[in-house]
Amino acid sequence: MADAGFDRVPPSFDRVKNAAGGGVEAQGLNPGLIVLLVVGGLLLSFLIGNYVLYVYAQKTLPPKKKKPISKKKMKKERLKQGVSAPGE
């Protein structure tokens, strides 16, 4: 009757057998997923960086100077509005 206790395996040995590859495969990350995450992270950081630089430039740079309008264009605009140019 003493031999009947030896055919049972303690639960701690079951865990060791499973960890050693007893039917369960250890899978790493998919290489395609890693590439996708790296490229996506770089793209996202690029877009966020551009937005931050744009906001910074809007706050710090002076506004653009408007080009001066020539006298000829001013005369044309006044004639369109129905106001006669001075000296006519």
Side-chain angles (χ1 to χ4, degrees):
M1 288 282 172
D3 291 339
F6 287 113
D7 32 335
R8 285 188 292 154
V9 180
S12 60
F13 288 113
D14 282 341
R15 278 187 252 138
V16 171
K17 189 170 81 173
N18 285 341
V24 178
E25 287 186 31
Q27 291 184 351
L29 287 177
N30 187 359
L33 179 65
I34 293 172
V35 170
L36 185 68
L37 288 174
V38 169
V39 171
L42 289 173
L43 181 66
L44 192 64
S45 63
F46 175 75
L47 292 174
I48 291 172
N50 274 347
Y51 177 73
V52 169
L53 286 174
Y54 172 76
V55 170
Y56 175 73
Q58 292 297 315
K59 289 180 182 177
T60 57
L61 292 177
K64 276 188 170 180
K65 292 182 180 178
K66 292 183 179 178
K67 290 182 181 177
I69 302 174
S70 67
K71 291 179 183 178
K72 201 175 191 180
K73 277 190 180 179
M74 282 178 60
K75 190 175 179 182
K76 258 189 194 177
E77 287 296 321
R78 286 188 185 146
L79 286 174
K80 279 183 188 177
Q81 291 175 0
V83 180
S84 61
E88 290 186 357

